[in-house]
Amino acid sequence: TPLTIVNTARVSFGKSSEEMGEREWKLILYLIRNKHSSPFRHCTFQFRIVAPVFVIRQWQKHQVGCSWNEVSGRYVLFEDSDHWEHQEWRGHSEDIKQGSLGAFDCPDADEVYEEAMRASWWAYNKLLKLGVCREQARTVLPLSLMTQCVWTASLQAVVHFLRLRSYPHPQAEIRIFAHGIRSLIECIS
């Protein structure tokens, strides 16, 4: 809450406030303007996320002020339908090292993708039927496997994530989640 931020900042002077007033809002703006970010680490948010593994791996690069717990394939069985369904293919860019071009029409790519998914799920299920343990059978599953996790993050960490992941340059799939997080935060405020 804003009052948590204010009282965390004011503890330096041995003071606190009981409610938000004009002085308190000015203090928050001062902290933001002058990049005094430590008081923002004391407000936390928790999200339950369902996303493909390749998105979560990008997201988990955000570690400072964050805590993660993820579903474990050692304990649960995955279902054949537990993989990401792409919306469109994007073309490769020669001059953007980590980026892609816009929509790319390639019907053959759909066929290759679906074939790879079928093969991965077949291998996973076959290994399980052969008696291989879950923790090893899961190693044949694709990066497009849907996973779920709980992300707890300080307000400062959430703002940092949004600053880096909700603009045009990050991968489109993680941007979708960044916009979703931004919408949830805006609903709270």
Side-chain angles (χ1 to χ4, degrees), residues 11 17 25 29-30 34 36 41 45 53 70 77 80 90-92 96 105 129 136 140 142 154 164 175 185:
V11 75
S17 296
W25 288 110
L29 292 174
Y30 173 85
N34 292 285
H36 293 293
R41 295 180 201 144
F45 296 90
V53 169
E70 186 175 355
L77 288 171
D80 294 13
R90 293 185 301 279
H92 174 70
I96 304 172
D105 185 32
K129 285 177 186 166
Q136 289 182 311
V140 298
S154 70
L164 294 177
R175 275 197 326 261
I185 296 291

Side-chain angles (χ1 to χ4, degrees), residues 1-9 20 24-45 64-65 153-160 163:
T1 66
L3 196 54
T4 300
I5 298 166
V6 167
N7 287 332
T8 302
M20 289 299 291
E24 287 72 22
W25 288 110
K26 283 183 180 179
L27 175 57
I28 287 178
L29 292 174
Y30 173 85
L31 294 169
I32 293 169
R33 255 193 323 274
N34 292 285
K35 298 185 179 7
H36 293 293
S37 59
S38 64
F40 296 91
R41 295 180 201 144
H42 294 272
C43 292
T44 59
F45 296 90
V64 177
S154 70
L155 175 57
Q156 180 189 25
V158 171
V159 168
H160 181 68
R163 187 178 307 123

Side-chain angles (χ1 to χ4, degrees), residues 66-84:
C66 301
S67 184
W68 293 92
N69 281 80
E70 186 175 355
V71 68
S72 175
R74 295 178 72 193
Y75 308 122
V76 301
L77 288 171
F78 295 110
E79 300 293 326
D80 294 13
S81 59
D82 288 345
H83 66 272
W84 170 74

